[in-house]
Amino acid sequence: MRKFELIAPCHFGLEAVLKKEITELGYDITAVEDGRVTFYGDEEACARANIGLRTAERILIKVGSFHAETFEELFQGTKALPWEDYIPEDGRFWVAKAASVKSSLFSPSDIQSVMKKAMVERLRDRYHVSWFAESGSPFPIRVFLLKDEVTVGLDTTGDSLHKRGYRKLTAKAPIAENLAAAMIMLTPWRRDRILVDPFCGSGTIPIEAAMMAANMAPGMNRTFTAQQWEHIIARTIWEEALEEAQEQVDLHVDTDIQGYDADDKMISLSRANAGLAGVDGLIHFQRRPVSELSHPKRYGFLITNPPYGERLEDKETVAALYRVLGERFRMLDDWSLFLITSYEEAQQAIGRKADKNRKLYNGMMKTYYYQFLGAKPGKRNRQGK
């Protein structure tokens, strides 16, 4: 098996969660940096990571790294990398994204252009051709510049890993699937505990929870760019990784996962998405406004992505919504509340200071993950009784 250094980008603030996931898959971490985790793995690791990681954005094969303060250094550094080890003569290759932080070179389009020229020159010399048809498989490249250190990765994933394949229809402001999964993983929730999302929208949080409960890998029902790279990762490796994931699924698990929304259309949409995910039998969706939030059992979890009130005219409505959420939360018996929001007055409106507060980024938006912790159940109460 060929050994790679693999890079898994993620949402800022979720590095520790992703590190734990990768370690549980059985791979050694080499670095944890802002927005990404690097680890060692082989061809099998590429397939298993793409199929199995819930909080990563994508999986990159690290082609190399070097220092560059000028475009000439960028050109020569890129040209020195062994591109012929990855890209065949008919390969279609381009720099899909360039990101620069605290570096002398900061123009993404210029970085992309210079690197493309350097790659062409390297491959032209190796394949002894003057022109590339680029009619074959795609080989997207991603590059990060941090303090003039350039890290170059080959994107094995394609569409971001948050695209599980089940969310054909979305709400107005949906939360990314991998961020929803991370929100759940940052709580003590387990599949034998109650979980309710009172603002379920298109159903992402309950669906991700149900997939976890059923031990269903998030990437089982989608494809990846590297599946076309049979000279790097054989088709049988992808088939074996998928078979491994399928064998671990348990749809007979007993769950109490619920999604509420005040909008009938959102409930219909949630049910449709849960059906596409294959977990509709594990979730109960119901039209219910937050003012009617209740549950007879103890020790449950509210995990939710409520409206943020980004527009000035929405602030008063959102404040009232959070006050009602706080009132209903206090009426629940020994429950915990976990919510992500950019609304600065969330704690005041809820009427309680959060026990924990974690800064996360929902796309480019800075948000806070507030954690209001309830009592822990004794062993006799693990079923929420």
Side-chain angles (χ1 to χ4, degrees), residues 107-256:
S107 167
S109 59
D110 289 337
I111 291 167
Q112 290 167 303
S113 177
V114 168
M115 291 186 68
K116 171 73 175 188
K117 290 176 183 176
M119 293 167 66
V120 167
E121 188 164 313
R122 168 85 183 203
L123 293 173
R124 186 174 60 199
D125 292 344
R126 292 302 186 274
Y127 290 126
H128 307 291
V129 296
S130 59
W131 180 77
F132 292 96
E134 297 196 48
S135 57
S137 300
F139 291 85
I141 312 299
R142 291 190 168 236
V143 58
F144 312 95
L145 282 77
L146 176 62
K147 297 179 180 178
D148 299 322
E149 292 300 317
V150 183
T151 302
V152 185
L154 189 62
D155 182 8
T156 71
T157 303
D159 286 340
S160 172
L161 289 176
H162 82 266
K163 295 186 177 180
R164 319 294 206 208
Y166 67 74
R167 201 165 70 177
K168 304 300 182 184
L169 302 167
T170 62
K172 184 177 180 181
I175 190 166
E177 293 89 328
N178 52 357
L179 181 54
M183 286 173 60
I184 300 165
M185 294 166 76
L186 284 167
T187 78
W189 179 80
R190 296 296 179 267
R191 65 184 190 178
D192 62 341
R193 306 284 295 276
I194 305 160
L195 187 154
V196 174
D197 180 357
F199 302 97
C200 72
S202 54
T204 307
I205 292 174
I207 291 170
E208 289 294 321
M211 290 175 70
M212 290 181 197
N215 206 21
M216 182 182 290
M220 283 175 48
N221 297 312
R222 55 160 289 168
T223 59
F224 308 96
T225 297
Q227 287 175 299
Q228 302 174 60
W229 306 347
E230 292 193 41
H231 63 296
I232 299 177
I233 307 174
R235 182 179 300 176
T236 54
I237 290 176
W238 289 100
E239 292 171 349
E240 289 166 2
L242 180 58
E243 184 178 346
E244 176 193 26
Q246 290 170 335
E247 288 174 351
Q248 295 175 3
V249 177
D250 177 14
L251 290 173
H252 300 292
V253 62
D254 187 22
T255 61
D256 190 343

Side-chain angles (χ1 to χ4, degrees), residues 13-25:
L14 298 183
E15 297 84 2
V17 183
L18 178 55
K19 177 185 176 182
K20 185 173 185 288
E21 276 200 277
I22 293 169
T23 301
E24 289 176 350
L25 272 183

Side-chain angles (χ1 to χ4, degrees), residues 261-319:
D261 202 281
D263 189 337
D264 274 322
K265 291 182 180 178
M266 291 297 101
I267 295 303
S268 298
L269 190 152
S270 295
R271 287 173 179 151
N273 287 338
L276 289 169
V279 293
D280 46 327
L282 301 180
I283 311 170
H284 172 69
F285 289 108
Q286 180 181 349
R287 189 194 70 78
R288 184 189 293 193
V290 68
S291 59
E292 296 177 13
L293 174 63
S294 65
H295 200 288
K297 295 182 180 179
R298 301 175 68 187
Y299 307 116
F301 289 77
L302 296 175
I303 305 179
T304 192
N305 174 43
Y308 295 177
E310 287 302 304
R311 296 183 303 178
L312 188 63
E313 60 267 29
D314 293 336
K315 292 290 185 184
E316 189 172 329
T317 301
V318 166

Side-chain angles (χ1 to χ4, degrees), residues 66-79 105:
F66 54 89
H67 185 87
E69 297 180 34
T70 66
F71 283 116
E72 178 61 23
E73 289 175 335
L74 179 67
F75 183 92
Q76 295 300 335
T78 303
K79 184 181 175 183
L105 304 176

